[in-house]
Amino acid sequence: MTGGQVETVSGNYNPSFIKDFNSLVVRVNQYKVERVQNPTKEIDVYSPESYMQNGGYVVTLDVSIFNETTKNIMYKAEQISLVGASKSTGGSLDNFVPSNYHLTGSTADPYVFSPGKTVEGYITYMMDDAKYEDFKAKPSIAVPSPSKFDASVPKNDAAISSLSLN
């Protein structure tokens, strides 16, 4: 999408994070970090990907969400954040993600996860060099509880866990 050189600088291809909220289970199956240098394509300034116009990093998480309950649950997966030593980065379900890999709940509402079903897809995070260096210094993932989005779900703390950058 950006052109230029894209290099995979890090990745973990084994399950690296699992949080069971007793309603939804959020699992990071794998992730990779890619560095974009010398982009050659013009990106419309209104496109979120224009953030990468001068290069930077794209972190892609392969995430599974399993609804353990017998009812629909609302959850906004793009609010899973990557946290560094002093900065956090919000995610996107769309940027750099082909449509067949979108992390969507039901066809009627992408934020509603059906009972007994597992959904898998990608969340991406764009970082400039400074933000990536901050993230690399103390890489963590912050996963909000489903109770933040769905009042019918019992209150449960958010999960924060370190990620190991290989």
Side-chain angles (χ1 to χ4, degrees), residues 26-42:
V26 177
R27 176 181 170 148
V28 176
N29 302 310
Q30 58 186 346
Y31 66 87
K32 74 177 171 179
V33 179
E34 296 172 294
R35 183 169 187 193
V36 178
Q37 294 179 302
N38 306 315
T40 57
K41 295 184 180 177
E42 286 292 321

Side-chain angles (χ1 to χ4, degrees), residues 2 38-45 49-55:
T2 63
N38 306 315
T40 57
K41 295 184 180 177
E42 286 292 321
I43 301 172
D44 187 294
V45 295
E49 290 91 350
S50 67
Y51 183 84
M52 299 301 294
Q53 192 66 52
N54 296 315

Side-chain angles (χ1 to χ4, degrees), residues 131-142:
K131 195 173 245 191
Y132 179 70
E133 288 303 317
D134 179 81
F135 172 66
K136 195 167 81 168
K138 190 177 177 185
S140 297
I141 182 171

Side-chain angles (χ1 to χ4, degrees), residues 32-91:
K32 74 177 171 179
V33 179
E34 296 172 294
R35 183 169 187 193
V36 178
Q37 294 179 302
N38 306 315
T40 57
K41 295 184 180 177
E42 286 292 321
I43 301 172
D44 187 294
V45 295
Y46 297 108
S47 169
E49 290 91 350
S50 67
Y51 183 84
M52 299 301 294
Q53 192 66 52
N54 296 315
Y57 293 84
V58 177
V59 178
T60 304
L61 302 182
D62 175 349
V63 175
S64 295
I65 296 178
F66 171 60
N67 180 348
E68 302 182 289
T69 71
T70 57
K71 61 183 178 147
N72 287 335
I73 294 180
M74 176 178 275
Y75 192 73
K76 295 184 177 184
E78 74 271 15
Q79 291 199 11
I80 296 172
S81 299
L82 295 182
V83 182
S86 64
K87 301 175 184 179
S88 68
T89 304

